Amino acid sequence: MNRSKPRHFASDNCSGIAPEAMAALVEANHYHAPSYGDDLWTERACDRIREIFEKDCDVYFTFTGTSANALSLAAMARSYHAVLCHERAHVEDHECAAPEFFSGGAKLVLLPGENGKLTPGVIEAEALRNRGDFHASKVRAVTITQPTEHGTLYQRNEIAAIGEACQKLGLNLHMDGARFSNAVVALGCQPADITWRAGVDLISFGLSKNGAAVGDTVVFFDRSLAVEFEYRLKQSGQLASKMRFLAAQYVGLLTGDAWLRHAAHANAMARRLADGICLLRGASVPHPVEVNFVIAALPQQAIDGLRARGWHFYNAFKSGEVRLACSWDTQTSDVDCFLADLKELIG
Amino acid sequence: MNRSKPRHFASDNCSGIAPEAMAALVEANHYHAPSYGDDLWTERACDRIREIFEKDCDVYFTFTGTSANALSLAAMARSYHAVLCHERAHVEDHECAAPEFFSGGAKLVLLPGENGKLTPGVIEAEALRNRGDFHASKVRAVTITQPTEHGTLYQRNEIAAIGEACQKLGLNLHMDGARFSNAVVALGCQPADITWRAGVDLISFGLSKNGAAVGDTVVFFDRSLAVEFEYRLKQSGQLASKMRFLAAQYVGLLTGDAWLRHAAHANAMARRLADGICLLRGASVPHPVEVNFVIAALPQQAIDGLRARGWHFYNAFKSGEVRLACSWDTQTSDVDCFLADLKELIG
Amino acid sequence: MNRSKPRHFASDNCSGIAPEAMAALVEANHYHAPSYGDDLWTERACDRIREIFEKDCDVYFTFTGTSANALSLAAMARSYHAVLCHERAHVEDHECAAPEFFSGGAKLVLLPGENGKLTPGVIEAEALRNRGDFHASKVRAVTITQPTEHGTLYQRNEIAAIGEACQKLGLNLHMDGARFSNAVVALGCQPADITWRAGVDLISFGLSKNGAAVGDTVVFFDRSLAVEFEYRLKQSGQLASKMRFLAAQYVGLLTGDAWLRHAAHANAMARRLADGICLLRGASVPHPVEVNFVIAALPQQAIDGLRARGWHFYNAFKSGEVRLACSWDTQTSDVDCFLADLKELIG
Amino acid sequence: MNRSKPRHFASDNCSGIAPEAMAALVEANHYHAPSYGDDLWTERACDRIREIFEKDCDVYFTFTGTSANALSLAAMARSYHAVLCHERAHVEDHECAAPEFFSGGAKLVLLPGENGKLTPGVIEAEALRNRGDFHASKVRAVTITQPTEHGTLYQRNEIAAIGEACQKLGLNLHMDGARFSNAVVALGCQPADITWRAGVDLISFGLSKNGAAVGDTVVFFDRSLAVEFEYRLKQSGQLASKMRFLAAQYVGLLTGDAWLRHAAHANAMARRLADGICLLRGASVPHPVEVNFVIAALPQQAIDGLRARGWHFYNAFKSGEVRLACSWDTQTSDVDCFLADLKELIG
């Protein structure tokens, strides 16, 4: 029997629309507004993002994190270029070759790294290995995910070191920030510190995993990369006609600290979950739990049992590992109920 | 001085979210739901679309009309194929080569036709002209817009004749139905009559111009064209993670007759506008006004004057022609106020 | 009965390898040589091309005129750009959407023009019509064919006027020079005069229609467009491993004046053919015959009769028009024999 | 000092045109012939290939091995598909993402395997791992190289086992046969035995490394994959206008046993080279030497010394490993001279 729960741990994109986003959506729904981003809500959202990043950056809305990433990569790399990424990066594993499609053939080069993180060393080794030979795609850019697919964080200095390596090698640096809010609040830093001040040229900054219904952004700190970007958006069907309804959600979440508050809550829920799991015999947490999800190693019979009791979650990288994602709306009761079930199953 | 109005005539995508869509959006915002379309709202929306079309068709959500069209064309045509369309078709004029991008190079072949409409004759002539020669793109499909970019309608028998020609020539037939609701209500027919019963293989069926905030659909009557379509959606960043919030709007609008009521209202507003314009000396309406917008030929000084008074609208195909679009939320007072201003300006 | 002739008038690519090309091919076939263009024959060919054009340009070999054109256009235009061309241009009519494929979706915008020629006026009008609107592909470049698909020539000043318009509009200018030799000799000018001195940024300069077996070149006068071009070549399978055998043919033909001599001969044969046709009642030559082929308007029964007697040639743009192409190896006896047959048939 | 040699060991594509190819080229150079493959030489070449493979297959000429591979992969896989290959496959390492470019984004999935060979086990594991999830590219095909990039051979039964796995999994199987002649003669089998009889659906069959100047072929045993392939060729600039000059070389080499004789000679030269190397202290041959090249592990100072003496060769996969390729025209004196130099350097 599959008894579904009101909230589960499958993904933070299974959660709903946060109140601040919904309120702004309703507020934006008055009268007519110019389409395709020429409206006041879009202007407000972009201004607020510039404020948050303390930088006069170029901001564009897309519909999904996948398209924000793929368009970012296409803005950096042409069809015969290569982009370096972690071997378990979302752009490689979960975007159905969107980067290759948007760029017309750019190659993702997969690099290893503990806890889902690249290091300047592997980047440099790969970049130099390829140089000067037109028989292989030319290395042109690097993309890192913050927080990573393993639920870990790049520290500020780790990003800065990568940024430095990129600058030395003449490579652009992109950040996949689908859960960027969770990283900011976990690190207790300014958004600028782990982006442009650390050498990041552009970021996919999404809130759909943090309370928005739909919409993502690409934020260009290096504005030269944004040249003609609106044509790319239009051509790829990523330009919202009624853009105010995407932008309003960002205004709602980014005004004040709702985005950070929601992220902090989700992070805390993951912490609570991880702490509970670690107490159980036969269960463990192989990676540091730094943001809002937990990779947990569980006995297969416990995994099966949890699913039989209606809990939704995904398998992680290895057999016997699952990913448990917390959201802005995850309740402590959800966590505790899950842990109670797990405890029973592990016995 | 540019005094903007609460509602104007620039585009039906400048209008807001209709109450039925908003109510469903709010209702869908409870608890968690599976992502990427595996939720009940998406199921309901697809079922309702199948009911409306009286056909067990495959239904997929995209984000925009542009992507619905481009993905439809890519599902029919490979990079070396050609798709025939009207020389003023939206796919040619207003989608920044999205069809070429999504298909990797398929060519739009532009055909003439009165009032924005193709005929079996021009289709057949072009298809046969190209045959058997691999030096030119191979004609593979036809796309028509219903209602057309000129605000006119294909009659049921006109579509059926095109459908028959396509079948004879072995071509697929796509319909760009960005304003399909307006066509259905104007023709007083069943959706099936002007789609699959007339030989249409797939349609881009959108409601964002009729009360939805965001989202479009591709409806495959010929289900063989939908093979692996979910991969296309994912790869092009057109697969909504929180799909329930797109689907809910469709459920809200399509349940009962809200979609037809809104469309009928917009059509009536355009009729009122056209009737008013025709009374004015020096103003005229060069094409039949059959749905929710009016192509109007106005003296240039009247055009300039209207804009100076804060009215928004776009230029149409020829110099001195403008397009005036009405929406589900256009008020008779908007129309009358506009006409009053125009009358004053024309004097 | 289809009695084929030793030489006919179908296309100058039906002719063989000229002696100078063959001799160089044989001469190049000694010992080993570095592959992919790092050999002395390629160096000699490129140097000779730089000499001919009196310019320190970047020269790359491709395999076909289609790929030379498509790669040129892709070097100028990204997927969301438009390239203006004549409505009967080879890139539009006979390359199966290769430009769209190589660029990932760039749009060819078709412009009218007498005798196959664009003018600054139509270019400017189209470029300005599109500007500033991301809903349509952004005009980025112009391509002209010299000599044109109609067998006519742009005069030096006509090209310069187009070049000037392009510069003013910020557009790149490409020349499809599949029969460039025929133009040079017909105009009696220096190659530089009708290319970079007139504002042409790059040219597809081919000899396969003038005595080479295989191979084409892209010559970049604006070397900034050639950045990373060798990657494009490799990625599109256009980089010859044994490049010396392509280059040697160019060395053979371009050393001395063989290329001009062959082109002059082909031009003269077309002149002789046109003169003969003009004498016949019911036959005419609708466009100036300026290079090596003739568009001839003939009675349909004469067209059929010629084919029945084994003559090969293609239909031209209009019904009743055929294209008769002369080559470096066309004999006066071929021309006279053809004319005699035609005279008999027209009788 | 870099003293170049008349023949060296860089690549078999540094060698010249074999006498049989050159003779046919000269013979084909009489009169006019229809262009684009509609000539008798092309017909003869295709017929001979059908004869060699004992199968009524579809045969198409391309210009390079890279394009033959990329077009083959594009014929099997759409943009959202994945193709499995060895992690050191030529398609991955040396084709600058041509498969991704030609297919519009298909992903190469890299699999490990000893001596450059895939096994049914790794194929099956990967194919099943990905199934049913549209977030990752859908596995659609497998490509293997015969002989491999390591100079090793798949035995007939190894290919058949892969073929069987592919059939079970519903995947197409492509063979990169850039040196297929060398494999056939080394295995002493019929071409059919290691291709279609073993489950191979199509092969890139090239002779440019075995005596041809230019040109490659794609041979479709599964003719359904060849549908509209001539359009692909044309669109990608891979359709030779004067195709007879490519085809004639194939006729020359494939008539009688020239292709097998040349391949056997090259294989023997590699054998002689490997045997000589194995006698030297500090030198070794890490992979079986089964065809015409040797991966040799040499002391770095010997590598440097050989290059200083004018020998050309490439580095192989690992530091300290080089690839020494033999050709149809490699002389025993070349081998012995190289070995003598190496012996001196290793001391």
Side-chain angles (χ1 to χ4, degrees):
Chain A
M1 186 184 62
N2 193 313
R3 299 162 300 177
S4 192
K5 311 288 179 178
R7 284 166 301 279
H8 45 82
F9 300 95
S11 175
D12 31 12
N13 64 28
C14 298
S15 61
I17 309 173
E20 299 86 350
M22 186 58 102
L25 197 62
V26 170
E27 192 188 337
N29 191 28
H30 287 107
Y31 306 125
H32 279 205
S35 42
Y36 301 110
D38 206 18
D39 66 282
L40 292 175
W41 285 94
T42 303
E43 190 180 320
R44 280 177 65 190
C46 295
D47 281 347
R48 177 61 181 140
I49 287 173
R50 283 186 272 266
E51 195 174 61
I52 281 173
F53 282 103
E54 305 170 57
K55 180 87 177 170
D56 190 17
C57 42
D58 281 344
V59 181
Y60 293 93
F61 278 89
T62 70
F63 288 109
T64 70
T66 291
S67 56
N69 285 339
L71 285 162
S72 294
L73 269 50
M76 299 187 296
R78 307 201 63 153
S79 62
Y80 46 80
H81 284 146
V83 179
L84 309 184
C85 67
H86 190 273
E87 60 191 351
R88 291 282 64 86
H90 195 270
V91 288
E92 166 67 13
D93 273 1
H94 290 92
E95 302 190 354
C96 198
E100 291 89 336
F101 174 71
F102 278 79
S103 65
K107 192 179 278 287
L108 293 177
V109 176
L110 311 183
L111 301 178
E114 289 209 8
N115 293 320
K117 295 198 271 184
L118 293 184
T119 58
V122 293
I123 290 169
E124 202 164 322
E126 181 63 30
L128 296 176
R129 186 177 80 78
N130 270 283
R131 281 296 163 84
D133 182 9
F134 52 72
H135 294 275
S137 305
K138 183 177 179 179
V139 178
R140 186 68 199 83
V142 175
T143 178
I144 57 176
T145 313
Q146 171 78 323
T148 73
E149 290 77 8
H150 292 66
T152 60
L153 284 167
Y154 285 95
Q155 297 300 310
R156 186 196 307 205
N157 63 317
E158 291 176 319
I159 300 173
I162 290 174
E164 211 173 305
C166 286
Q167 188 168 29
K168 198 175 67 181
L169 296 160
L171 308 180
N172 282 122
L173 179 57
H174 168 258
M175 180 175 278
D176 175 354
R179 294 180 179 91
F180 186 70
S181 313
N182 302 84
V184 169
V185 79
L187 289 168
C189 66
Q190 292 305 312
D193 294 337
I194 53 171
T195 55
W196 63 272
R197 281 196 198 115
V200 173
D201 294 312
L202 73 172
I203 182 175
S204 304
F205 173 39
L207 291 179
S208 66
K209 290 176 163 66
N210 196 24
V214 60
D216 217 276
T217 65
V218 181
V219 181
F220 290 89
F221 307 117
D222 178 346
R223 297 173 69 173
S224 72
L225 292 171
V227 171
E228 300 178 343
F229 195 70
E230 66 274 28
Y231 288 89
R232 276 187 199 283
L233 288 169
K234 177 66 195 176
Q235 184 172 35
S236 59
Q238 292 289 337
L239 192 76
S241 56
K242 293 169 146 182
M243 199 181 285
R244 62 170 151 162
F245 297 117
L246 271 64
Q249 299 177 63
Y250 272 66
V251 171
L253 290 166
L254 295 177
T255 302
D257 66 348
W259 63 301
L260 296 175
R261 204 168 9 88
H262 289 315
H265 173 78
N267 289 359
M269 290 298 100
R271 186 70 263 156
R272 185 184 187 97
L273 194 54
D275 290 346
I277 288 169
C278 288
L279 296 175
L280 301 175
R281 202 185 38 219
S284 67
V285 169
H287 302 284
V289 175
E290 302 187 300
V291 286
N292 68 319
F293 58 92
V294 181
I295 311 286
L298 303 178
Q300 190 59 46
Q301 134 275 8
I303 295 173
D304 297 341
L306 287 163
R307 286 187 170 137
R309 292 179 183 210
W311 293 105
H312 294 183
F313 49 83
Y314 289 109
N315 293 328
F317 307 109
K318 294 183 188 159
S319 173
E321 288 186 6
V322 301
R323 194 193 69 164
L324 304 166
C326 297
S327 300
W328 68 271
D329 63 352
T330 304
Q331 311 288 308
T332 54
S333 59
D334 300 323
V335 172
D336 296 345
C337 180
F338 179 91
L339 287 170
D341 275 0
L342 179 56
K343 191 172 181 182
E344 262 183 47
L345 286 160
I346 283 189
Chain B
M1 186 183 61
N2 191 315
R3 299 162 299 177
S4 190
K5 310 287 178 179
R7 284 165 301 278
H8 44 82
F9 299 95
S11 175
D12 29 13
N13 63 27
C14 298
S15 62
I17 308 173
E20 299 85 353
M22 187 58 102
L25 196 62
V26 170
E27 192 189 336
N29 191 28
H30 286 107
Y31 306 127
H32 279 205
S35 42
Y36 301 112
D38 205 18
D39 66 281
L40 292 174
W41 285 93
T42 303
E43 191 180 319
R44 281 177 64 188
C46 295
D47 282 346
R48 177 60 182 142
I49 288 173
R50 282 186 273 265
E51 197 174 59
I52 282 172
F53 282 103
E54 305 170 59
K55 179 88 177 169
D56 189 18
C57 43
D58 281 343
V59 182
Y60 294 93
F61 277 89
T62 70
F63 288 109
T64 70
T66 290
S67 56
N69 285 339
L71 284 162
S72 294
L73 269 52
M76 299 188 295
R78 306 201 64 154
S79 62
Y80 45 80
H81 285 147
V83 179
L84 310 183
C85 68
H86 190 274
E87 62 190 350
R88 290 282 65 85
H90 195 270
V91 289
E92 166 65 14
D93 272 1
H94 290 92
E95 303 191 353
C96 199
E100 289 89 336
F101 174 71
F102 277 80
S103 65
K107 193 179 278 286
L108 294 176
V109 175
L110 311 182
L111 301 177
E114 288 210 10
N115 292 323
K117 294 198 272 183
L118 294 184
T119 58
V122 293
I123 291 169
E124 203 164 322
E126 181 62 30
L128 297 177
R129 186 177 79 80
N130 268 284
R131 281 295 161 86
D133 182 10
F134 51 73
H135 293 277
S137 305
K138 182 177 179 178
V139 178
R140 186 69 199 81
V142 175
T143 178
I144 57 176
T145 312
Q146 170 79 325
T148 73
E149 290 76 7
H150 292 65
T152 60
L153 285 167
Y154 285 96
Q155 296 301 309
R156 188 195 306 206
N157 64 319
E158 292 175 318
I159 299 174
I162 289 174
E164 210 174 307
C166 286
Q167 189 169 29
K168 198 175 68 181
L169 295 161
L171 308 181
N172 282 123
L173 178 56
H174 168 258
M175 180 174 278
D176 175 354
R179 294 181 180 89
F180 185 70
S181 313
N182 303 85
V184 169
V185 79
L187 290 168
C189 66
Q190 292 306 313
D193 294 338
I194 53 171
T195 54
W196 61 272
R197 281 198 197 114
V200 173
D201 294 312
L202 73 173
I203 183 175
S204 304
F205 173 39
L207 291 179
S208 65
K209 291 176 162 65
N210 195 25
V214 59
D216 217 276
T217 65
V218 180
V219 181
F220 291 89
F221 307 117
D222 177 346
R223 297 172 68 173
S224 72
L225 291 171
V227 172
E228 301 178 339
F229 195 70
E230 66 273 28
Y231 287 89
R232 275 187 202 284
L233 288 169
K234 177 66 194 178
Q235 184 171 38
S236 59
Q238 291 289 336
L239 191 77
S241 57
K242 294 171 146 180
M243 199 181 285
R244 61 169 151 164
F245 296 118
L246 271 64
Q249 299 176 62
Y250 273 66
V251 172
L253 290 166
L254 295 177
T255 302
D257 68 346
W259 64 299
L260 295 174
R261 203 167 10 87
H262 289 316
H265 173 78
N267 289 358
M269 291 299 99
R271 185 70 264 154
R272 184 183 187 98
L273 195 54
D275 290 346
I277 289 168
C278 288
L279 296 175
L280 301 175
R281 198 186 39 220
S284 66
V285 169
H287 302 284
V289 175
E290 302 186 298
V291 284
N292 68 318
F293 59 91
V294 181
I295 311 287
L298 304 177
Q300 189 59 48
Q301 135 273 6
I303 294 173
D304 297 341
L306 287 164
R307 286 188 169 133
R309 291 178 185 212
W311 293 106
H312 294 183
F313 48 83
Y314 289 109
N315 294 329
F317 307 109
K318 294 183 188 159
S319 173
E321 288 185 5
V322 301
R323 192 193 70 164
L324 304 166
C326 297
S327 302
W328 67 272
D329 63 352
T330 303
Q331 311 287 309
T332 52
S333 59
D334 299 324
V335 173
D336 296 344
C337 180
F338 179 91
L339 287 171
D341 275 359
L342 179 57
K343 190 173 181 181
E344 263 184 46
L345 286 160
I346 282 188
Chain C
M1 188 184 56
N2 192 314
R3 299 164 296 178
S4 191
K5 310 288 179 179
R7 283 165 302 278
H8 44 81
F9 299 95
S11 175
D12 31 12
N13 64 28
C14 298
S15 61
I17 309 174
E20 300 86 353
M22 186 59 99
L25 197 62
V26 170
E27 193 188 337
N29 192 27
H30 286 107
Y31 307 125
H32 279 205
S35 43
Y36 301 111
D38 206 17
D39 67 281
L40 292 175
W41 286 95
T42 304
E43 191 180 319
R44 281 177 63 189
C46 295
D47 281 346
R48 177 59 182 142
I49 288 173
R50 282 185 273 265
E51 197 176 59
I52 281 173
F53 281 104
E54 305 170 57
K55 180 89 176 169
D56 189 19
C57 43
D58 281 343
V59 181
Y60 293 93
F61 277 89
T62 70
F63 288 109
T64 70
T66 291
S67 56
N69 285 340
L71 284 161
S72 294
L73 269 51
M76 299 187 297
R78 305 202 63 153
S79 62
Y80 45 80
H81 285 147
V83 179
L84 310 183
C85 67
H86 190 273
E87 60 191 350
R88 290 282 63 87
H90 195 269
V91 289
E92 167 66 14
D93 273 1
H94 289 93
E95 303 191 354
C96 198
E100 290 89 337
F101 174 72
F102 278 80
S103 66
K107 194 180 276 288
L108 294 177
V109 176
L110 310 183
L111 301 178
E114 289 209 7
N115 293 321
K117 295 197 272 182
L118 295 183
T119 58
V122 292
I123 291 169
E124 201 164 325
E126 180 62 30
L128 297 175
R129 187 178 79 81
N130 270 283
R131 280 297 161 84
D133 182 12
F134 51 73
H135 293 277
S137 305
K138 182 177 179 179
V139 178
R140 185 66 198 83
V142 175
T143 178
I144 57 176
T145 312
Q146 170 79 325
T148 73
E149 290 75 10
H150 292 65
T152 60
L153 285 167
Y154 284 97
Q155 296 300 309
R156 189 195 307 205
N157 65 316
E158 291 176 318
I159 299 173
I162 290 174
E164 210 173 308
C166 285
Q167 189 168 29
K168 197 174 71 184
L169 296 159
L171 308 181
N172 282 122
L173 178 56
H174 168 259
M175 179 174 280
D176 176 352
R179 296 182 179 88
F180 186 68
S181 314
N182 303 86
V184 170
V185 80
L187 289 168
C189 67
Q190 291 306 311
D193 294 338
I194 53 171
T195 55
W196 62 271
R197 282 199 197 112
V200 173
D201 294 312
L202 73 171
I203 183 175
S204 303
F205 172 39
L207 290 179
S208 64
K209 290 175 162 68
N210 196 23
V214 59
D216 218 277
T217 65
V218 181
V219 181
F220 291 90
F221 307 117
D222 177 347
R223 296 174 69 173
S224 72
L225 292 170
V227 171
E228 300 177 341
F229 195 69
E230 65 274 27
Y231 288 90
R232 276 186 199 284
L233 288 169
K234 177 67 194 176
Q235 184 171 37
S236 59
Q238 292 289 336
L239 191 75
S241 56
K242 294 170 146 181
M243 199 181 285
R244 60 169 151 164
F245 296 118
L246 272 63
Q249 300 175 63
Y250 273 65
V251 172
L253 290 166
L254 295 178
T255 303
D257 67 347
W259 64 301
L260 296 175
R261 205 169 6 92
H262 289 315
H265 173 78
N267 289 359
M269 291 299 99
R271 187 69 265 154
R272 184 183 187 95
L273 195 54
D275 290 345
I277 289 167
C278 289
L279 296 176
L280 301 175
R281 199 184 41 218
S284 67
V285 169
H287 302 285
V289 175
E290 301 187 297
V291 283
N292 68 319
F293 59 92
V294 181
I295 311 286
L298 304 177
Q300 189 60 46
Q301 134 272 8
I303 294 174
D304 297 341
L306 287 164
R307 286 187 169 135
R309 292 181 183 210
W311 294 106
H312 295 184
F313 49 82
Y314 290 109
N315 294 328
F317 307 109
K318 294 183 188 158
S319 174
E321 288 186 5
V322 300
R323 193 193 69 164
L324 305 166
C326 297
S327 301
W328 66 272
D329 63 352
T330 304
Q331 311 288 309
T332 52
S333 59
D334 299 325
V335 173
D336 296 345
C337 180
F338 179 91
L339 288 171
D341 275 0
L342 179 58
K343 191 173 180 182
E344 263 184 46
L345 286 160
I346 285 187
Chain D
M1 185 186 60
N2 193 314
R3 298 165 298 178
S4 191
K5 311 287 178 178
R7 283 165 302 278
H8 44 81
F9 299 95
S11 175
D12 31 11
N13 64 29
C14 298
S15 61
I17 309 174
E20 300 85 355
M22 185 59 99
L25 198 61
V26 170
E27 193 189 334
N29 192 28
H30 287 108
Y31 306 126
H32 279 205
S35 43
Y36 301 112
D38 207 17
D39 66 282
L40 292 175
W41 286 94
T42 303
E43 191 181 319
R44 281 178 64 188
C46 295
D47 281 346
R48 176 60 183 144
I49 287 173
R50 283 186 273 265
E51 197 175 57
I52 282 173
F53 282 104
E54 305 170 55
K55 180 90 178 167
D56 189 19
C57 43
D58 281 344
V59 182
Y60 293 93
F61 278 88
T62 70
F63 288 110
T64 69
T66 291
S67 57
N69 285 340
L71 285 162
S72 294
L73 269 53
M76 299 187 296
R78 307 201 64 154
S79 63
Y80 46 80
H81 284 147
V83 178
L84 310 184
C85 67
H86 190 274
E87 60 190 351
R88 290 281 66 85
H90 195 269
V91 289
E92 166 67 13
D93 272 2
H94 290 92
E95 302 190 354
C96 199
E100 290 89 336
F101 175 71
F102 278 80
S103 66
K107 192 180 277 285
L108 293 177
V109 176
L110 311 183
L111 301 178
E114 288 210 7
N115 293 321
K117 295 198 273 183
L118 294 184
T119 57
V122 294
I123 290 168
E124 203 163 324
E126 181 62 31
L128 297 175
R129 187 178 80 79
N130 270 284
R131 281 294 163 84
D133 183 9
F134 51 73
H135 293 278
S137 305
K138 183 178 179 178
V139 179
R140 186 68 199 80
V142 175
T143 178
I144 58 175
T145 313
Q146 171 78 325
T148 72
E149 290 76 8
H150 292 65
T152 60
L153 285 167
Y154 285 96
Q155 296 300 310
R156 186 195 307 204
N157 65 318
E158 292 176 319
I159 299 173
I162 289 173
E164 212 173 304
C166 286
Q167 189 169 28
K168 198 174 69 182
L169 296 160
L171 308 181
N172 282 122
L173 178 57
H174 168 258
M175 180 175 278
D176 175 353
R179 295 181 179 90
F180 186 68
S181 314
N182 303 86
V184 169
V185 79
L187 290 168
C189 66
Q190 292 305 314
D193 294 336
I194 53 170
T195 55
W196 62 272
R197 283 200 195 110
V200 173
D201 294 313
L202 73 172
I203 183 174
S204 305
F205 173 38
L207 291 179
S208 65
K209 290 176 163 67
N210 196 23
V214 60
D216 217 277
T217 65
V218 181
V219 181
F220 291 88
F221 306 116
D222 178 346
R223 298 172 67 172
S224 72
L225 292 171
V227 172
E228 300 178 342
F229 195 70
E230 66 274 28
Y231 288 90
R232 274 187 202 285
L233 288 169
K234 177 65 194 179
Q235 185 172 35
S236 59
Q238 292 288 336
L239 192 76
S241 56
K242 294 170 146 181
M243 200 182 286
R244 60 170 151 163
F245 296 118
L246 272 63
Q249 300 176 62
Y250 272 66
V251 171
L253 290 166
L254 295 177
T255 302
D257 67 347
W259 63 300
L260 295 176
R261 203 166 13 88
H262 289 316
H265 174 78
N267 289 0
M269 290 299 99
R271 186 69 265 157
R272 184 185 188 97
L273 195 54
D275 290 345
I277 288 168
C278 287
L279 296 175
L280 301 175
R281 201 184 39 216
S284 66
V285 169
H287 302 285
V289 174
E290 300 187 299
V291 286
N292 67 319
F293 58 92
V294 181
I295 311 287
L298 303 178
Q300 189 60 46
Q301 134 274 7
I303 295 173
D304 298 342
L306 286 163
R307 286 187 169 135
R309 291 180 184 210
W311 293 106
H312 294 183
F313 49 83
Y314 289 110
N315 293 329
F317 307 110
K318 295 183 188 158
S319 174
E321 288 185 5
V322 300
R323 193 192 71 165
L324 304 167
C326 297
S327 302
W328 67 272
D329 64 351
T330 303
Q331 312 287 310
T332 53
S333 59
D334 299 324
V335 173
D336 296 344
C337 179
F338 179 89
L339 287 172
D341 275 0
L342 179 56
K343 191 172 178 182
E344 262 183 47
L345 287 160
I346 283 188

